[in-house]
Structure formats: C-alpha cells, structure tokens
C-alpha cells in the first residue's frame, strides 16, 4: 500500500549545528504533511506542517521543504540543541478525515 | 487547557484476555484517532471517530474495536489478546476532520501481553 518513509534511521549532530531530516512519500495524492517529534515516554508532538500548494514553510528554528516532483519532504532544524534529541516522524494526512500515515522515524542525537 | 488524557498509562495482561483503553480528548475536539506504535511496525493507524461514528479504519483484525461517546471521549477494546498486541497505544484528538487540523497526541497506554 501507500507509505511514507524516511531515508536515515539515525542522525547524530553537534550542538549548534544545523540538522536535516529527510522523508520520502509514495502517495502522489497526498496534499498535507506534518512533522512530529517524539521524546522518550511521550506521545508525538506537532512541530510544523505544510500543504501541497507550498514548497517551504518556516517556524521557530525549523523549516519544512516539500518537493512534490520527487515526493520528498525535509525538516531543517537550525542551531540544534540537546533538547532537540528525539525521534522525528513525517506524516501524511489525507484530504478528508483525520488519518495520519507515518514514516519510520529518525532518531536525532545532539552531542554537547 | 488540558491535553489529551489516556488511561491507564500502563497495563499488563495475559494472552487471551481482553482490554479496554480510554482516551479523553481536548475539550471541544470532536475527532479522535487511535494508533498502535511498535518498534517493528512504527505508528499504525487503527481507527478514527468523529461525532460518535467510525469514519475510517486501519488494517487491523476485528479483535480491535472502538467507540466514541457523546462527550467525544473514546475507548478502544482488544479482545483475545496476543503477544504481538504488546505496544504503545496512542490517541490523538483534533478539533475537526480534514486538512490543516492539528492532531494532539496523548502520552499513550503501554500494553504488555504476557
């Protein structure tokens, strides 16, 4: 079936560096994408979202890029901090309803 | 504003038993979705409820069921538990359905089947 997946299972960066987490999706009909952060023992936490009619959206220290041509999504975290260490998931949301299809997740580790 | 509340946080059950998990969405939210999270399969959609009606269902056996009450609170039930049902069960609530409606997750219920 359709799926959303991540290229890298783990990413280790130094504090202060910029981090880039990538995601590939396969459903060309997807029109809404979300990045979630999940810390140990907690549920996923919304970071940023983007609709398919956009190719870039910025938040506080985070930027999401969408390339519909190659079905690729990325999350950029500026000046990565130890508190950013977590598992990051991309997710696709269908046009109607609330169903989310999640990618595999990337474990981000920030070294002090 | 209180977040999504899931109870209990932890459960240990024996194979063959049944279990009921509860989710109280954020006040005013009418959409509740359930997900199963395991190390091997990641986050998998179980079902979605809106206004007491199941709107969508994932690819899980009939042993998994759910319901939503008039106050939007939701329960999910798993009957005849199997070892493979051990997982973190997450509930997410949204104000409404559709694009751009942010989903807020609870902390989950950790179910262990022995």
């Amino acid at each position: 079936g359709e799926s959303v997946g991540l290229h890298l299972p783990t990413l280790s960066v130094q504090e202060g560096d910029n981090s880039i987490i990538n995601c590939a999706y396969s459903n060309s009909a997807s029109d809404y994408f979300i990045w979630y952060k999940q810390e140990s023992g907690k549920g996923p936490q919304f970071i940023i979202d983007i609709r398919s009619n956009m190719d870039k959206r910025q938040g506080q220290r985070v930027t999401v890029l969408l390339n519909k041509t190659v079905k690729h999504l990325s999350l950029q975290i500026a000046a990565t901090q130890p508190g950013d260490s977590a598992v990051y998931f991309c997710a696709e949301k269908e046009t109607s309803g609330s169903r989310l299809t999640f990618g595999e997740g990337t474990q981000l580790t920030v070294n002090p | 504003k209180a977040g999504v509340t899931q109870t209990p946080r932890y459960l240990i059950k024996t194979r063959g038993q049944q279990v009921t998990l509860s989710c109280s969405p954020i006040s005013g939210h009418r959409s509740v979705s359930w997900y199963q999270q395991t190390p091997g399969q990641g986050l998998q959609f179980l079902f979605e409820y809106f206004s007491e009606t199941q709107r969508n269902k994932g690819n899980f056996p009939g042993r998994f069921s759910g319901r939503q009450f008039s106050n939007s609170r939701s329960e999910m039930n798993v009957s005849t538990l199997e070892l493979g049902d051990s997982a973190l069960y997450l509930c997410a609530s949204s104000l409404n359905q559709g694009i751009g409606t942010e989903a807020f997750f609870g902390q989950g219920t950790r179910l262990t089947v022995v």
Side-chain angles (χ1 to χ4, degrees):
Chain A
E2 304 282 12
S3 64
V4 180
L6 292 173
H7 293 305
L8 299 173
T10 62
L11 178 64
S12 184
V13 301
Q14 291 299 122
E15 182 178 358
D17 287 352
N18 295 332
S19 303
I20 299 176
I21 301 172
N22 297 301
C23 175
Y25 65 95
S26 57
N27 185 357
S28 57
S30 301
D31 51 11
Y32 182 58
F33 304 90
I34 312 105
W35 281 100
Y36 284 92
K37 172 187 180 183
Q38 187 175 26
E39 297 174 282
S40 181
K42 297 183 178 180
Q45 178 186 2
F46 174 94
I47 300 173
I48 192 168
D49 60 0
I50 188 167
R51 300 192 183 196
S52 61
N53 61 353
M54 303 171 68
D55 53 23
K56 180 179 180 179
R57 190 167 188 219
Q58 289 185 291
Q60 187 176 17
R61 285 201 305 118
V62 295
T63 301
V64 56
L65 299 177
L66 175 63
N67 185 330
K68 294 182 290 294
T69 302
V70 295
K71 298 178 193 169
H72 184 267
L73 193 67
S74 69
L75 176 70
Q76 299 178 0
I77 305 174
T80 315
Q81 303 168 0
D84 294 327
S85 294
V87 177
Y88 289 81
F89 294 94
C90 64
E92 160 217 349
K93 189 171 184 180
E94 297 178 356
T95 303
S96 61
S98 301
R99 176 176 185 160
L100 292 165
T101 301
F102 284 87
E104 299 168 309
T106 292
Q107 173 70 59
L108 174 66
T109 301
V110 182
N111 302 307
Chain B
K1 190 175 185 180
V4 179
T5 303
Q6 292 188 245
T7 56
R9 287 293 310 280
Y10 302 94
L11 264 179
I12 300 176
K13 290 285 187 178
T14 305
R15 272 184 303 174
Q17 287 186 311
Q18 68 92 27
V19 68
T20 298
L21 311 181
S22 179
C23 172
S24 293
I26 292 171
S27 178
H29 284 197
R30 298 189 295 163
S31 176
V32 173
S33 299
W34 288 88
Y35 295 83
Q36 182 196 65
Q37 186 174 25
T38 60
Q41 299 297 318
L43 280 150
Q44 301 280 316
F45 172 80
L46 280 158
F47 23 66
E48 170 197 349
Y49 288 88
F50 183 80
S51 295
E52 301 178 66
T53 303
Q54 188 179 90
R55 303 290 177 155
N56 209 337
K57 190 176 192 302
N59 188 25
F60 279 84
R63 301 185 296 107
F64 291 80
S65 63
R67 59 179 176 169
Q68 185 180 34
F69 302 95
S70 58
N71 62 358
S72 294
R73 189 177 71 86
S74 178
E75 289 181 346
M76 67 163 282
N77 184 278
V78 188
S79 62
T80 320
L81 284 165
E82 300 177 0
L83 295 178
D85 296 333
S86 295
L88 179 67
Y89 289 88
L90 290 159
C91 168
S93 80
S94 305
L95 187 61
N96 289 300
Q97 296 179 298
I99 294 283
T101 304
E102 183 179 340
F104 295 84
F105 282 84
Q107 290 193 294
T109 294
R110 173 72 65 183
L111 172 65
T112 302
V113 182
V114 297

